[in-house]
Amino acid sequence: MDQKERILAAGIDLFSTRSYHQTGIREITKQVEMPTGSFHYYFKNKEDFSAEVLNHFFKTEILPSFSEITRNPVLNPKQKIMAYFSSRINRYTKSSTDSDTMWSCIMGNLGQDVAAQSEIIAAQLQKLTSDHLVPGLQKLIEQGQKEASIKCTIDAKVLASMIFNTYEGSMIQRKIERNDQPLRQFLNFIENLL
């Protein structure tokens, strides 16, 4: 892993456990044991860094997980959707169990913290969600509706978007309640919805 990837990985960890405003450049560089001034060799500013962290998160965590599950020939489309969200939830609950810190999805964290003030971050979140996540879910839902593993007749695109939004909402509610019940409710909800 090169220096830039180490900084981006630190960004994933920090934005998974802290807000954008609680995470300073000095804290980021301290985590990777690098002089603060070196940060600007790789990134224009914290906003630029955050957008790159989102992209790195998507490429290193979301895409590999989604691709692996969707290529599994044993699972039907409904099972693939359930397995994907279960894997994401397990990642956050395991991380939180291994430390005293409440881990959460950086897409939701950054979206909630700064997307309204940052066109760069809002655009990156929109691109990752609208160009990749929702279409991937939509494709699984369409396949499941066609082969009847998914009984829900709501339009696949609308349903995919609502499932993703409900997931992010359950991650936010988890932080508010400081327990995993909203995540269990989310899984139960989509199991019954689909």
Side-chain angles (χ1 to χ4, degrees):
M1 185 181 309
D2 69 18
Q3 184 74 330
K4 184 174 182 179
E5 287 177 337
R6 288 181 59 231
I7 301 167
L8 292 169
I12 291 172
D13 287 348
L14 291 167
F15 290 138
S16 292
T17 58
R18 295 179 177 89
S19 74
Y20 176 87
H21 302 293
Q22 290 175 320
T23 306
I25 293 172
R26 189 168 297 147
E27 184 177 15
I28 295 162
T29 56
K30 182 179 178 183
Q31 185 154 333
V32 293
E33 300 174 345
M34 157 182 138
T36 303
S38 299
F39 177 89
H40 295 288
Y41 175 77
Y42 298 102
F43 310 101
K44 287 187 276 187
N45 52 42
K46 191 167 112 177
E47 184 181 42
D48 175 58
F49 169 71
S50 300
E52 286 201 45
V53 167
L54 284 165
N55 197 49
H56 187 71
F57 170 74
F58 191 80
K59 286 180 180 179
T60 61
E61 291 196 28
I62 300 296
L63 273 181
S65 173
F66 193 79
S67 295
E68 180 182 344
I69 289 168
T70 57
R71 285 193 311 260
N72 185 333
V74 176
L75 301 177
N76 67 40
K78 179 179 178 177
Q79 291 168 328
K80 290 175 182 181
I81 292 169
M82 295 303 300
Y84 171 71
F85 284 109
S86 293
S87 74
R88 298 308 311 154
I89 288 170
N90 287 338
R91 188 250 195 253
Y92 298 118
T93 55
K94 181 182 182 322
S95 297
S96 295
T97 302
D98 293 345
S99 71
D100 292 335
T101 306
M102 179 77 62
W103 285 67
S104 193
C105 176
I106 69 165
M107 294 177 75
N109 285 355
L110 289 173
Q112 187 179 16
D113 285 346
V114 291
Q117 293 84 34
S118 169
E119 288 184 34
I120 292 169
I121 292 173
Q124 185 67 8
L125 286 165
Q126 184 69 28
K127 178 182 176 204
L128 296 175
T129 303
S130 299
D131 293 355
H132 299 289
L133 286 171
V134 171
L137 287 172
Q138 178 183 344
K139 184 176 176 184
L140 286 174
I141 292 166
E142 288 168 347
Q143 291 170 350
Q145 288 172 330
K146 186 175 182 179
E147 65 184 45
S149 66
I150 294 177
K151 308 287 187 227
C152 185
T153 59
I154 295 172
D155 176 76
K157 184 176 183 177
V158 171
L159 186 55
S161 181
M162 292 310 302
I163 288 172
F164 179 74
N165 292 341
T166 304
Y167 165 74
E168 287 295 341
S170 70
M171 294 297 284
I172 292 167
Q173 190 62 33
R174 173 179 179 254
K175 291 191 301 186
I176 294 166
E177 294 181 17
R178 309 225 27 96
N179 66 59
D180 296 332
Q181 183 64 20
L183 303 180
R184 288 190 291 275
Q185 289 171 340
F186 165 76
L187 289 174
N188 186 52
F189 171 72
I190 62 168
E191 173 78 30
N192 289 307
L193 175 66
L194 296 176

